[in-house]
Amino acid sequence: MLDLIPVILILIATGIIAGFFAGLLGVGGGFLMVPVQYLLLIDGGIDPTYAIRIAFGTSLAVVFPVSCAAAWAHEKRGAIDWNAAFPIGIAGILGGFAGGTLASHLPVDILKILFGVLVILAAIRMVRDTPASGGTTRSGLGVWTLTGIIAGLLSGLLGLGGGFILVPMLLLIFNLPIHRAVATSSASILFFSIGGIAAYMFHGAMIEELGKGFLGYIDIFQWMVLTGAMIPLSRVGVATAHRLPSERLKMIFAIMMVGIGIGMIGIFP
């Protein structure tokens, strides 16, 4: 097992980077946290089947407080569309719980491939399709609810905050401007994470092999270090996002998604 200090340093570095991009892109940061946590857990002797679920569950547990900080920063700039965020988010609670429950029963190889393929496809769609510069949120409650269920389900299933699914949907389906989509996503994933966290805590509590230091599938130590590092940087990311041109922000989002997706499919054990 790795010495504690290197592990802490790795987690802090991960939290700093993930926190910045969580604020910048309206995501939870799971795209980076999950692969790093998974590798650390494997190196620490955790069975891969449990390691991937712990990484997903802990990532979602970190997402909640980090998203609170990011959403507050976006709200102060008046960027969140609450008409969309509330119905999407509330529907996403149920989707998140269902996704977390499904992930607790799927084989590790399937989860890794799903994680990688999903973020790559979302990146390709975002680069190829150019949404309108304006956009409207005058959609029916049913449309917002369905969007929330789908995004929440994938969020809980893959340990992501949901931004990697929701931001492209807001851009490509509803034609929201990138800055407004990022802000609205930050608010919505507050709700998504609640359902996923509940599922991972419930199903992980049944695994006796995990022992002390875990709250279900949530690694308490990793949660504390990552959350402490991410929250301050998420606010920096929000401020940066509102200064970047739309196309540059979208390209940064897509490049990072592709890199992480390829790594999760073909590199990580």
Side-chain angles (χ1 to χ4, degrees), residues 2 20 39-40 45 59 62 86 105-106 130 139 154 190 201-202 207 213 231 255:
L2 285 174
F20 176 76
L39 291 176
L40 289 175
S59 171
V62 174
F86 271 126
H105 297 90
L106 286 176
T130 303
S139 297
L154 294 173
L190 290 173
M201 288 176 62
F202 175 76
I207 308 300
I231 287 178
I255 290 171

PDB file of all heavy atoms in Angstrom, residues 2 20 39-40 45 59 62 86 105-106 130 139 154 190 201-202 207 213 231 255:
ATOM      1  N   LEU A   2       0.428   2.236  -0.722  1.00  0.00           N
ATOM      2  CA  LEU A   2       1.191   3.477  -0.769  1.00  0.00           C
ATOM      3  C   LEU A   2       1.260   4.104   0.612  1.00  0.00           C
ATOM      4  O   LEU A   2       0.355   3.965   1.427  1.00  0.00           O
ATOM      5  CB  LEU A   2       0.515   4.466  -1.716  1.00  0.00           C
ATOM      6  CG  LEU A   2       0.650   4.221  -3.219  1.00  0.00           C
ATOM      7  CD1 LEU A   2      -0.213   5.231  -3.959  1.00  0.00           C
ATOM      8  CD2 LEU A   2       2.082   4.326  -3.673  1.00  0.00           C
ATOM      9  N   PHE A  20     -11.238  23.014  -9.903  1.00  0.00           N
ATOM     10  CA  PHE A  20     -11.178  24.107 -10.874  1.00  0.00           C
ATOM     11  C   PHE A  20     -12.087  23.824 -12.060  1.00  0.00           C
ATOM     12  O   PHE A  20     -12.891  24.683 -12.476  1.00  0.00           O
ATOM     13  CB  PHE A  20      -9.743  24.310 -11.349  1.00  0.00           C
ATOM     14  CG  PHE A  20      -9.601  25.357 -12.421  1.00  0.00           C
ATOM     15  CD1 PHE A  20      -9.672  26.707 -12.112  1.00  0.00           C
ATOM     16  CD2 PHE A  20      -9.411  24.989 -13.741  1.00  0.00           C
ATOM     17  CE1 PHE A  20      -9.562  27.674 -13.100  1.00  0.00           C
ATOM     18  CE2 PHE A  20      -9.287  25.943 -14.737  1.00  0.00           C
ATOM     19  CZ  PHE A  20      -9.363  27.294 -14.416  1.00  0.00           C
ATOM     20  N   LEU A  39      -7.439   3.933  -9.089  1.00  0.00           N
ATOM     21  CA  LEU A  39      -6.056   3.457  -9.091  1.00  0.00           C
ATOM     22  C   LEU A  39      -5.481   3.400  -7.676  1.00  0.00           C
ATOM     23  O   LEU A  39      -4.762   2.457  -7.320  1.00  0.00           O
ATOM     24  CB  LEU A  39      -5.198   4.356  -9.977  1.00  0.00           C
ATOM     25  CG  LEU A  39      -5.472   4.273 -11.478  1.00  0.00           C
ATOM     26  CD1 LEU A  39      -4.623   5.294 -12.231  1.00  0.00           C
ATOM     27  CD2 LEU A  39      -5.209   2.869 -12.009  1.00  0.00           C
ATOM     28  N   LEU A  40      -5.780   4.401  -6.861  1.00  0.00           N
ATOM     29  CA  LEU A  40      -5.293   4.397  -5.481  1.00  0.00           C
ATOM     30  C   LEU A  40      -5.880   3.242  -4.676  1.00  0.00           C
ATOM     31  O   LEU A  40      -5.190   2.599  -3.882  1.00  0.00           O
ATOM     32  CB  LEU A  40      -5.627   5.726  -4.795  1.00  0.00           C
ATOM     33  CG  LEU A  40      -4.837   6.955  -5.249  1.00  0.00           C
ATOM     34  CD1 LEU A  40      -5.372   8.203  -4.553  1.00  0.00           C
ATOM     35  CD2 LEU A  40      -3.347   6.775  -4.966  1.00  0.00           C
ATOM     36  N   GLY A  45      -4.881  -2.418  -2.364  1.00  0.00           N
ATOM     37  CA  GLY A  45      -5.290  -3.796  -2.130  1.00  0.00           C
ATOM     38  C   GLY A  45      -6.782  -4.044  -2.158  1.00  0.00           C
ATOM     39  O   GLY A  45      -7.234  -5.142  -1.830  1.00  0.00           O
ATOM     40  N   SER A  59     -16.900   9.774  -5.159  1.00  0.00           N
ATOM     41  CA  SER A  59     -16.944  10.905  -6.081  1.00  0.00           C
ATOM     42  C   SER A  59     -18.248  11.667  -5.945  1.00  0.00           C
ATOM     43  O   SER A  59     -18.266  12.904  -5.857  1.00  0.00           O
ATOM     44  CB  SER A  59     -16.768  10.404  -7.518  1.00  0.00           C
ATOM     45  OG  SER A  59     -17.000  11.434  -8.453  1.00  0.00           O
ATOM     46  N   VAL A  62     -18.406  13.721  -2.806  1.00  0.00           N
ATOM     47  CA  VAL A  62     -17.635  14.956  -2.920  1.00  0.00           C
ATOM     48  C   VAL A  62     -18.395  15.984  -3.759  1.00  0.00           C
ATOM     49  O   VAL A  62     -18.363  17.193  -3.479  1.00  0.00           O
ATOM     50  CB  VAL A  62     -16.252  14.674  -3.559  1.00  0.00           C
ATOM     51  CG1 VAL A  62     -15.504  15.982  -3.816  1.00  0.00           C
ATOM     52  CG2 VAL A  62     -15.425  13.758  -2.663  1.00  0.00           C
ATOM     53  N   PHE A  86     -34.552  23.255 -11.359  1.00  0.00           N
ATOM     54  CA  PHE A  86     -35.375  22.593 -10.343  1.00  0.00           C
ATOM     55  C   PHE A  86     -36.017  21.294 -10.844  1.00  0.00           C
ATOM     56  O   PHE A  86     -35.849  20.238 -10.232  1.00  0.00           O
ATOM     57  CB  PHE A  86     -36.447  23.546  -9.815  1.00  0.00           C
ATOM     58  CG  PHE A  86     -35.993  24.355  -8.636  1.00  0.00           C
ATOM     59  CD1 PHE A  86     -36.087  25.728  -8.645  1.00  0.00           C
ATOM     60  CD2 PHE A  86     -35.463  23.727  -7.511  1.00  0.00           C
ATOM     61  CE1 PHE A  86     -35.656  26.475  -7.559  1.00  0.00           C
ATOM     62  CE2 PHE A  86     -35.036  24.469  -6.416  1.00  0.00           C
ATOM     63  CZ  PHE A  86     -35.128  25.844  -6.437  1.00  0.00           C
ATOM     64  N   HIS A 105     -24.462  -3.612  -8.917  1.00  0.00           N
ATOM     65  CA  HIS A 105     -24.645  -5.004  -9.343  1.00  0.00           C
ATOM     66  C   HIS A 105     -23.972  -5.331 -10.676  1.00  0.00           C
ATOM     67  O   HIS A 105     -23.909  -6.492 -11.058  1.00  0.00           O
ATOM     68  CB  HIS A 105     -26.147  -5.316  -9.447  1.00  0.00           C
ATOM     69  CG  HIS A 105     -26.875  -5.216  -8.141  1.00  0.00           C
ATOM     70  ND1 HIS A 105     -27.454  -4.040  -7.689  1.00  0.00           N
ATOM     71  CD2 HIS A 105     -27.108  -6.130  -7.168  1.00  0.00           C
ATOM     72  CE1 HIS A 105     -28.015  -4.250  -6.511  1.00  0.00           C
ATOM     73  NE2 HIS A 105     -27.817  -5.502  -6.176  1.00  0.00           N
ATOM     74  N   LEU A 106     -23.461  -4.332 -11.377  1.00  0.00           N
ATOM     75  CA  LEU A 106     -22.823  -4.580 -12.672  1.00  0.00           C
ATOM     76  C   LEU A 106     -21.344  -4.934 -12.498  1.00  0.00           C
ATOM     77  O   LEU A 106     -20.688  -4.440 -11.580  1.00  0.00           O
ATOM     78  CB  LEU A 106     -22.939  -3.355 -13.572  1.00  0.00           C
ATOM     79  CG  LEU A 106     -24.307  -3.069 -14.190  1.00  0.00           C
ATOM     80  CD1 LEU A 106     -24.261  -1.764 -14.968  1.00  0.00           C
ATOM     81  CD2 LEU A 106     -24.750  -4.207 -15.083  1.00  0.00           C
ATOM     82  N   THR A 130     -23.257  22.800 -33.189  1.00  0.00           N
ATOM     83  CA  THR A 130     -23.133  24.161 -32.673  1.00  0.00           C
ATOM     84  C   THR A 130     -24.500  24.676 -32.263  1.00  0.00           C
ATOM     85  O   THR A 130     -25.363  24.923 -33.109  1.00  0.00           O
ATOM     86  CB  THR A 130     -22.553  25.097 -33.750  1.00  0.00           C
ATOM     87  OG1 THR A 130     -21.296  24.581 -34.181  1.00  0.00           O
ATOM     88  CG2 THR A 130     -22.361  26.503 -33.181  1.00  0.00           C
ATOM     89  N   SER A 139     -39.703  24.835 -22.116  1.00  0.00           N
ATOM     90  CA  SER A 139     -40.059  23.458 -22.421  1.00  0.00           C
ATOM     91  C   SER A 139     -41.053  22.976 -21.372  1.00  0.00           C
ATOM     92  O   SER A 139     -41.120  23.506 -20.268  1.00  0.00           O
ATOM     93  CB  SER A 139     -38.807  22.578 -22.411  1.00  0.00           C
ATOM     94  OG  SER A 139     -37.898  22.988 -23.414  1.00  0.00           O
ATOM     95  N   LEU A 154     -27.519   8.217 -15.379  1.00  0.00           N
ATOM     96  CA  LEU A 154     -26.136   8.056 -15.814  1.00  0.00           C
ATOM     97  C   LEU A 154     -25.163   8.602 -14.779  1.00  0.00           C
ATOM     98  O   LEU A 154     -24.056   8.069 -14.599  1.00  0.00           O
ATOM     99  CB  LEU A 154     -25.935   8.751 -17.162  1.00  0.00           C
ATOM    100  CG  LEU A 154     -26.712   8.130 -18.322  1.00  0.00           C
ATOM    101  CD1 LEU A 154     -26.589   8.990 -19.574  1.00  0.00           C
ATOM    102  CD2 LEU A 154     -26.236   6.710 -18.604  1.00  0.00           C
ATOM    103  N   LEU A 190     -26.546  19.221  -7.870  1.00  0.00           N
ATOM    104  CA  LEU A 190     -26.732  19.149  -6.418  1.00  0.00           C
ATOM    105  C   LEU A 190     -27.746  18.054  -6.089  1.00  0.00           C
ATOM    106  O   LEU A 190     -27.564  17.271  -5.156  1.00  0.00           O
ATOM    107  CB  LEU A 190     -27.269  20.484  -5.885  1.00  0.00           C
ATOM    108  CG  LEU A 190     -26.349  21.685  -5.882  1.00  0.00           C
ATOM    109  CD1 LEU A 190     -27.129  22.921  -5.470  1.00  0.00           C
ATOM    110  CD2 LEU A 190     -25.198  21.463  -4.940  1.00  0.00           C
ATOM    111  N   MET A 201     -24.428   4.367  -0.436  1.00  0.00           N
ATOM    112  CA  MET A 201     -24.367   4.142   1.004  1.00  0.00           C
ATOM    113  C   MET A 201     -25.174   2.905   1.388  1.00  0.00           C
ATOM    114  O   MET A 201     -24.718   2.074   2.179  1.00  0.00           O
ATOM    115  CB  MET A 201     -24.886   5.372   1.751  1.00  0.00           C
ATOM    116  CG  MET A 201     -23.957   6.568   1.717  1.00  0.00           C
ATOM    117  SD  MET A 201     -24.670   8.036   2.521  1.00  0.00           S
ATOM    118  CE  MET A 201     -24.860   7.443   4.197  1.00  0.00           C
ATOM    119  N   PHE A 202     -26.354   2.785   0.819  1.00  0.00           N
ATOM    120  CA  PHE A 202     -27.245   1.673   1.161  1.00  0.00           C
ATOM    121  C   PHE A 202     -26.663   0.331   0.735  1.00  0.00           C
ATOM    122  O   PHE A 202     -26.569  -0.602   1.528  1.00  0.00           O
ATOM    123  CB  PHE A 202     -28.607   1.897   0.505  1.00  0.00           C
ATOM    124  CG  PHE A 202     -29.565   0.751   0.694  1.00  0.00           C
ATOM    125  CD1 PHE A 202     -30.211   0.563   1.911  1.00  0.00           C
ATOM    126  CD2 PHE A 202     -29.819  -0.143  -0.339  1.00  0.00           C
ATOM    127  CE1 PHE A 202     -31.078  -0.503   2.094  1.00  0.00           C
ATOM    128  CE2 PHE A 202     -30.693  -1.204  -0.167  1.00  0.00           C
ATOM    129  CZ  PHE A 202     -31.327  -1.384   1.058  1.00  0.00           C
ATOM    130  N   ILE A 207     -21.718  -4.764   2.435  1.00  0.00           N
ATOM    131  CA  ILE A 207     -20.449  -5.418   2.117  1.00  0.00           C
ATOM    132  C   ILE A 207     -19.553  -5.410   3.356  1.00  0.00           C
ATOM    133  O   ILE A 207     -18.946  -4.397   3.702  1.00  0.00           O
ATOM    134  CB  ILE A 207     -19.742  -4.706   0.943  1.00  0.00           C
ATOM    135  CG1 ILE A 207     -20.687  -4.562  -0.244  1.00  0.00           C
ATOM    136  CG2 ILE A 207     -18.477  -5.470   0.550  1.00  0.00           C
ATOM    137  CD1 ILE A 207     -21.207  -5.872  -0.797  1.00  0.00           C
ATOM    138  N   GLY A 213     -13.761   2.870   8.130  1.00  0.00           N
ATOM    139  CA  GLY A 213     -13.307   3.917   7.226  1.00  0.00           C
ATOM    140  C   GLY A 213     -14.195   4.104   6.016  1.00  0.00           C
ATOM    141  O   GLY A 213     -13.908   4.960   5.173  1.00  0.00           O
ATOM    142  N   ILE A 231     -13.309  22.586  -2.998  1.00  0.00           N
ATOM    143  CA  ILE A 231     -14.241  23.697  -2.812  1.00  0.00           C
ATOM    144  C   ILE A 231     -13.620  25.059  -3.129  1.00  0.00           C
ATOM    145  O   ILE A 231     -14.210  25.851  -3.885  1.00  0.00           O
ATOM    146  CB  ILE A 231     -14.841  23.670  -1.388  1.00  0.00           C
ATOM    147  CG1 ILE A 231     -15.847  22.519  -1.285  1.00  0.00           C
ATOM    148  CG2 ILE A 231     -15.525  24.995  -1.063  1.00  0.00           C
ATOM    149  CD1 ILE A 231     -16.477  22.365   0.077  1.00  0.00           C
ATOM    150  N   ILE A 255     -12.102  18.296 -25.069  1.00  0.00           N
ATOM    151  CA  ILE A 255     -10.773  17.669 -25.062  1.00  0.00           C
ATOM    152  C   ILE A 255     -10.558  16.871 -23.782  1.00  0.00           C
ATOM    153  O   ILE A 255     -10.060  15.735 -23.802  1.00  0.00           O
ATOM    154  CB  ILE A 255      -9.673  18.737 -25.228  1.00  0.00           C
ATOM    155  CG1 ILE A 255      -9.713  19.313 -26.646  1.00  0.00           C
ATOM    156  CG2 ILE A 255      -8.296  18.149 -24.936  1.00  0.00           C
ATOM    157  CD1 ILE A 255      -8.810  20.512 -26.850  1.00  0.00           C
TER     158      ILE A 255
END
